[in-house]
Amino acid sequence: LSLHDALPICNTNLLVENPGWQVDVQKTGYIPEAGRCLVMQTVIDGRPVVIVLLNSWGKYTRIADAKRVRTWLEARTRVAAL
């Protein structure tokens, strides 16, 4: 590669690449003491939210867990508005 060659870059993170999520920062990882983890700062219903998930069962479980947390928070906001 020379300095002028284009280098394709892709994001494999399902939440960051999803236009339905406003993710400010996110990190996934694994350590034996905490298992598969996800830490993220996002915006849900116009409010900044930090989500910390530890010890997810599978590789993609933490992504599904984050989606469930978001759904739960959005439902609570709708109920509070009634």
Side-chain angles (χ1 to χ4, degrees):
L1 289 175
S2 75
L3 292 175
H4 302 290
D5 289 337
L7 181 63
I9 298 175
C10 65
N11 189 340
T12 60
N13 187 299
L14 299 174
L15 296 179
V16 171
E17 73 175 9
N18 184 332
W21 282 80
Q22 182 183 334
V23 177
D24 297 326
V25 65
Q26 178 181 310
K27 176 68 176 121
T28 58
Y30 172 86
I31 60 170
E33 296 83 0
R36 290 180 174 93
C37 304
L38 177 141
V39 177
M40 69 185 301
Q41 180 177 323
T42 185
V43 176
I44 298 175
D45 283 339
R47 297 179 5 191
V49 176
V50 174
I51 298 173
V52 178
L53 303 171
L54 305 175
N55 200 26
S56 294
W57 285 90
K59 182 177 179 182
Y60 298 106
T61 306
R62 55 194 160 188
I63 304 302
D65 290 344
K67 291 177 180 179
R68 284 189 279 276
V69 168
R70 178 183 174 176
T71 299
W72 178 76
L73 287 171
E74 289 171 338
R76 287 180 49 94
T77 302
R78 283 192 297 277
V79 169
L82 296 176

